[in-house]
Amino acid sequence: MSQQFYVSPEQLMKDRADFARKGITRGRSVAVVEYADGILFVAENPSRALHKISEIYDRIGFAAVGRYNEFENLRIAGVRLADMRGYAYDRRDVTARGLANAYAQTLGTIFSSGGEKPYEVEIFVGELGEDAAHDQVYRLMYDGSVADVQGFGVMGGQSEQVEAYLGEHYTTGLDLAGAIKVAVTALGQDTDPVRTVEAAALEVATLSRSRPQPRKFKRLTGADVEAALRV
Amino acid sequence: MLPEGTRLTGSSSFADYLASTAPELMPGAASRSNGAHSDLAPHATTIVAATFDGGVIMAGDRRATMGNVIAQRDIEKVFPADEYSCIGIAGSAGLAIEMVRLFQVELEHYEKIEGTVLSADGKANRLAALIRGNLGLAMQGLAVVPLFAGFDLETQQGRIFSYDVTGGRYEEHSGFHTVGSGSVFARGSLKKLYSRSLTEGDCVTAAVQALYDAADDDSATGGPDLTRRIFPVVSVVTSDGYRRLADEEVGAIADDVIGGRLVRPDGPAAPLN
């Protein structure tokens, strides 16, 4: 008969956290930057089809790092949740806070339940406000913890170096080109020596207040990004 | 917590998801009784659509009726379905507006999940499925008969689809179509006014003329309301996307049309041969 060894809960949680963190750091970083006109998401992603950044609702965007199948699953669930709430109530009743709560509880339950392996993902959920002071960005960790992001945030890969660079060079009230430039330069700080990330390898999207349509999410083309980097 | 079912991989259809997780929210789900109810709920009336080189226009009058009573004077019956299509409704107004809302979410949902827009035919087919779901109520007199028009990004032209209550989908190749109680009069009018060489502006004028003719002979269709300045809703869909004409633009066209009718109440005369 096989003997079950005692593992302390602390050790169990630590092992699960280490496992999740290891999976997340394997990929490249994703940065989110608040600028004067809205929220900018920048990811290093050579694929044109498999997105790390997506639209959830009129004013809500989503960015993720980690295992594709897991965050894609969460993204689709988020779109369903948002569309269902907007249909049952009203479009204005769909909020990033509600979505972040749903994600946090789901990730937390999966993390602490013995059955499933923890999700190896981290997520940004951003909501565009009426003005820059009301923009909200939430960062969700693999264990379901939520943090409020102020100004900028980075997750995945070697995020410490990227975040340190942004901390030094980010200023409030940037224009779009300035925000793209600082975010893209920051993403290149993850190696020593520092590298330059090509526009073709980037996935860039914004939630922009200046967009006249109710759906504020917009993907920027390679040409847009190149033009911003040249300024 | 994400609700039950949201994390399961399934279809990209919001309507299917809604029907499986919250069937009570489907249009018309609440009422299942016998007998005819057509006089109990407001009815929306005439919609016209016409294509031109590079797009399509759709216009609808502003009247909703309930039996002999005018239920609303400024109802809107033409809506954007997504960026490149629009939908106009005739029939039971409450159900139709609910169906439009569902259709709008359906298209947007597909776009977000799949990362690409549905083809024009794909959109038309989804709408047919939603109408078919309402067949039970249609048999009790609460029919919904929309008109769907859009700009096809593949063929770069405007297209019009009409429907029957059973969800039958018919593409209109004649370049124009009308639905609703005043549709026979509006269609007769467009037959004489419409040609494929019309520009966008001409098409709008022809549509306003057709709605005037419908209002002239159908009590359930509202004409331009000069005292309250209520004019038809006119939408244009081109490669630039959906655009609703401002009230001032439509008002100016309606003023011209009415000016002409003061001289000749039956409208422009078509040549005899």
Side-chain angles (χ1 to χ4, degrees):
Chain A
M1 218 173 103
S2 68
Q3 184 80 42
Q4 276 266 295
F5 286 106
Y6 173 73
V7 182
S8 71
E10 288 86 358
Q11 187 61 42
L12 190 70
M13 288 301 127
K14 191 176 166 300
D15 286 351
R16 293 174 78 91
D18 285 345
F19 169 78
R21 218 174 289 128
K22 212 179 285 171
I24 291 162
T25 47
R26 264 197 291 269
R28 297 285 190 193
S29 304
V30 170
V32 58
V33 175
E34 294 180 7
Y35 68 105
D37 201 30
I39 301 169
L40 168 76
F41 300 92
V42 183
E44 201 178 340
N45 181 6
S47 168
R48 297 291 107 197
L50 306 174
H51 296 302
K52 288 186 177 176
I53 301 171
S54 323
E55 173 187 18
I56 297 282
Y57 210 63
D58 289 358
R59 307 178 78 91
I60 302 177
F62 171 100
V65 291
R67 283 182 86 91
Y68 179 78
N69 67 317
E70 292 176 353
F71 69 69
E72 176 69 3
N73 194 328
L74 289 171
R75 180 187 74 89
I76 291 175
V79 170
R80 285 187 179 150
L81 179 74
D83 277 345
M84 178 63 106
R85 184 158 302 173
Y87 180 74
Y89 299 98
D90 187 77
R91 297 193 80 89
R92 278 169 302 181
D93 299 316
V94 181
T95 61
R97 200 173 57 82
L99 188 66
N101 272 330
Y103 279 150
Q105 292 186 35
T106 305
L107 286 168
T109 308
I110 294 170
F111 182 76
S112 49
S113 79
E116 271 182 274
K117 77 162 190 61
Y119 269 22
E120 300 158 68
V121 295
E122 275 184 47
I123 295 172
F124 280 135
V125 175
E127 180 177 359
L128 190 69
E130 285 305 316
D131 52 54
H134 290 90
D135 287 346
Q136 300 165 29
V137 178
Y138 298 97
R139 176 183 178 166
L140 291 127
M141 310 277 280
Y142 52 84
D143 61 355
S145 57
V146 196
D148 206 347
V149 174
Q150 301 292 340
F152 62 87
V154 184
M155 57 188 185
Q158 307 300 314
S159 56
E160 293 84 18
Q161 291 97 308
V162 179
E163 196 143 22
Y165 180 89
L166 271 174
E168 282 167 35
H169 295 84
Y170 172 79
T171 49
T172 49
L174 284 171
D175 63 358
L176 179 58
I180 292 176
K181 208 165 185 177
V182 71
V184 172
T185 319
L187 287 182
Q189 307 294 314
D190 61 350
T191 53
D192 192 25
V194 168
R195 63 203 174 92
T196 314
V197 186
E198 295 299 323
L202 286 169
E203 182 182 355
V204 182
T206 60
L207 286 167
S208 164
R209 263 180 288 278
S210 58
R211 223 173 122 73
Q213 291 93 328
R215 289 166 70 181
K216 304 294 184 192
F217 183 89
K218 183 171 187 263
R219 288 187 191 285
L220 302 190
T221 63
D224 293 340
V225 177
E226 245 165 63
L229 291 177
R230 267 201 304 273
V231 176
Chain B
M1 190 78 178
L2 293 162
E4 204 62 21
T6 42
R7 287 197 298 130
L8 300 174
T9 44
S11 82
S12 310
S13 165
F14 180 75
D16 291 354
Y17 173 64
L18 188 68
S20 65
T21 56
E24 73 282 2
L25 291 178
M26 288 295 282
S31 45
R32 288 280 180 271
S33 64
N34 296 321
H37 307 295
S38 57
D39 282 354
L40 297 179
H43 268 234
T45 39
T46 311
I47 306 288
V48 306
T51 58
F52 58 91
D53 188 20
V56 59
I57 65 125
M58 186 180 280
D61 74 301
R62 304 292 289 272
R63 181 173 290 180
T65 56
M66 211 155 64
N68 65 314
V69 176
I70 293 171
Q72 202 178 358
R73 305 178 195 288
D74 59 353
I75 189 173
E76 294 184 1
K77 309 176 203 171
V78 178
F79 306 89
D82 65 357
E83 202 169 335
Y84 291 102
S85 61
C86 59
I87 177 169
I89 51 163
S92 195
L95 286 173
I97 288 170
E98 201 61 16
M99 192 178 287
V100 167
R101 250 161 53 77
L102 179 57
F103 185 53
Q104 287 168 333
V105 179
E106 174 84 3
L107 298 185
E108 186 189 321
H109 190 78
Y110 182 93
E111 198 181 318
K112 288 190 290 199
I113 299 265
E114 296 291 326
T116 172
V117 290
L118 269 171
S119 64
D121 295 274
K123 293 176 201 172
N125 285 336
R126 280 312 300 164
L127 182 57
L130 295 185
I131 297 166
R132 197 168 298 123
N134 193 52
L135 185 58
L137 283 170
M139 290 305 161
Q140 296 172 28
L142 297 174
V144 176
V145 189
L147 186 60
F148 178 67
F151 183 76
D152 190 333
L153 290 164
E154 276 162 43
T155 59
Q156 291 287 307
Q157 60 183 2
R159 294 173 73 183
I160 300 173
F161 296 91
S162 69
Y163 296 87
D164 63 29
V165 289
T166 62
R169 182 207 94 158
Y170 313 97
E171 180 163 6
E172 298 301 330
H173 297 286
S174 56
F176 64 89
H177 195 70
T178 61
V179 294
S181 61
S183 62
V184 271
F185 310 111
R187 198 174 314 164
S189 176
L190 274 180
K191 265 187 187 171
K192 302 289 173 274
L193 296 173
Y194 178 83
S195 78
R196 289 188 190 276
S197 60
L198 293 188
T199 63
E200 176 188 322
D202 294 342
C203 271
V204 174
T205 306
V208 173
Q209 290 277 17
L211 286 176
Y212 191 105
D213 281 322
D216 208 16
D217 289 310
D218 171 39
S219 62
T221 301
D225 190 335
L226 287 177
T227 53
R228 297 185 184 83
R229 304 298 289 172
I230 298 170
F231 301 109
V233 175
V234 183
S235 296
V236 182
V237 188
T238 62
S239 57
D240 294 333
Y242 173 94
R243 180 171 73 95
R244 179 178 162 174
L245 297 194
D247 273 350
E248 297 78 54
E249 284 177 83
V250 184
I253 294 166
D255 284 338
D256 278 353
V257 167
I258 291 163
R261 300 272 172 158
L262 289 174
V263 181
R264 191 172 188 283
D266 290 339
L272 206 49
N273 50 32

